[in-house]
Amino acid sequence: NPTRGDKMEENAVLSKQDKKIFLTCMGMINWLVSCFRADLAYSHSMVAQSMANPTKKAYEQLCWIVRYLKGTTNMAAFSPANQGGAVTWRFYTDSDQGGDRSKENKGRSRSGSIVTANGFPVIYKTKTTSVAMAHPSIPPEGHADVSSAACEIYAAANATFEMLRLSYIVDEMGKSFPSPIPLEMDNAAAEVFCNNTAANSRLRHIDQRQHWVQTLRNHNIIVPVHVDTKSNLADLFTKPLFGEAFTNLRGKVLRV
């Protein structure tokens, strides 16, 4: 375990010069994430939480990302040759409840989503998800949710914002887009909610995002599809993965 001195060193604020290097590198990695490096989205988002006041620990985390990039410069997004012209769309969503215990995140869940077209990552996103309690003693700020199902429904709501936006773009291009959207998820409670197969929902405390998902469900805009956790691409954007679990999912969107 690190000593108190080590922790103080990790939390030390960067010098003006190191902060400039840190922010410049983060901007470069953000460009890569925006283009095609979906595998960097989660790490970049986690380190970016410290951009307002970068510390030595955040700088070291950035160095690990740079080392990883140096070892994977030959990787690129891909799409297999498609002679028929048809596009195979896949839509994934996932959430991780309270996995991030960092000071900046305060235990809030993280949602992630990705859409692929013939295996190519078209859009993907990772962000923290939180709720707010209407109580005078609690500040009006986002905080952690106590329900994993609620977190998954929040994730589904966030995912559909991006997916509907994509559907408008694809429609303007004169291409076909799935309707309803088969949203792949690995949480049984969220599937039940999206399917409306539960007699009485225990998720009444969910805020407006619940009503958003209900609207999409009732108008046949989305339909939940179960996917095994090990095959859920959205896992890349919600939690730190290691070894084979990471390389297997990464191999579905990036190849040498």
Side-chain angles (χ1 to χ4, degrees):
N1 294 327
T3 64
R4 182 177 179 182
D6 292 333
K7 290 182 178 179
M8 291 178 63
E9 180 71 15
E10 288 181 348
N11 294 324
V13 178
L14 295 179
S15 65
K16 185 176 181 179
Q17 180 62 28
D18 286 344
K19 183 176 181 179
K20 181 178 180 180
I21 295 172
F22 177 87
L23 295 177
T24 300
C25 288
M26 287 297 291
M28 293 177 176
I29 294 173
N30 182 59
W31 180 82
L32 287 172
V33 171
S34 300
C35 291
F36 72 95
R37 289 301 297 258
D39 57 326
L40 295 173
Y42 176 80
S43 298
H44 175 266
S45 179
M46 293 294 289
V47 179
Q49 292 180 132
S50 303
M51 286 187 69
N53 190 30
T55 61
K56 182 178 179 181
K57 180 180 179 180
Y59 192 93
E60 291 175 350
Q61 291 171 334
L62 173 62
C63 290
W64 278 106
I65 296 177
V66 173
R67 294 188 190 102
Y68 170 74
L69 267 173
K70 186 176 180 180
T72 56
T73 55
N74 59 344
M75 302 203 76
F78 72 97
S79 181
N82 185 19
Q83 302 298 328
V87 178
T88 300
W89 295 94
R90 298 289 295 273
F91 307 85
Y92 301 89
T93 179
D94 188 47
S95 177
D96 179 58
Q97 183 191 15
D100 179 8
R101 296 294 179 178
S102 64
K103 179 179 66 176
E104 298 82 4
N105 194 56
K106 301 179 182 179
R108 291 175 293 178
S109 66
R110 178 169 288 271
S111 66
S113 61
I114 181 172
V115 179
T116 62
N118 293 339
F120 189 92
V122 179
I123 58 172
Y124 41 88
K125 195 165 188 176
T126 175
K127 64 175 294 184
T128 55
T129 304
S130 57
V131 295
M133 284 190 176
H135 191 281
S137 299
I138 301 177
E141 62 180 14
H143 58 81
D145 199 298
V146 297
S147 168
S148 61
C151 295
E152 293 286 347
I153 294 170
Y154 292 155
N158 291 334
T160 53
F161 292 139
E162 298 297 321
M163 293 169 186
L164 288 179
R165 180 174 64 86
L166 177 63
S167 72
Y168 306 145
I169 296 173
V170 174
D171 181 65
E172 289 182 359
M173 295 171 62
K175 303 294 183 180
S176 61
F177 197 81
S179 180
I181 297 172
L183 188 56
E184 301 188 44
M185 56 186 71
D186 55 24
N187 182 276
E191 291 176 45
V192 168
F193 177 81
C194 293
N195 269 321
N196 197 23
T197 54
N200 294 296
S201 175
R202 296 181 180 178
L203 305 172
R204 293 191 182 91
H205 67 284
I206 302 177
D207 64 9
Q208 293 300 321
R209 280 164 290 194
Q210 178 192 39
H211 300 292
W212 168 248
V213 175
Q214 284 179 332
T215 299
L216 295 175
R217 177 193 69 198
N218 295 341
H219 289 81
N220 202 33
I221 304 299
I222 64 168
V223 57
V225 176
H226 180 77
V227 61
D228 185 82
T229 299
K230 294 181 180 179
S231 300
N232 191 348
L233 279 183
D235 264 16
L236 283 171
F237 311 100
T238 60
K239 58 183 71 69
L241 299 175
F242 305 94
E244 190 176 344
F246 175 73
T247 55
N248 283 346
L249 290 180
R250 183 187 64 183
K252 296 180 183 295
V253 291
L254 294 174
R255 287 186 182 178
V256 176

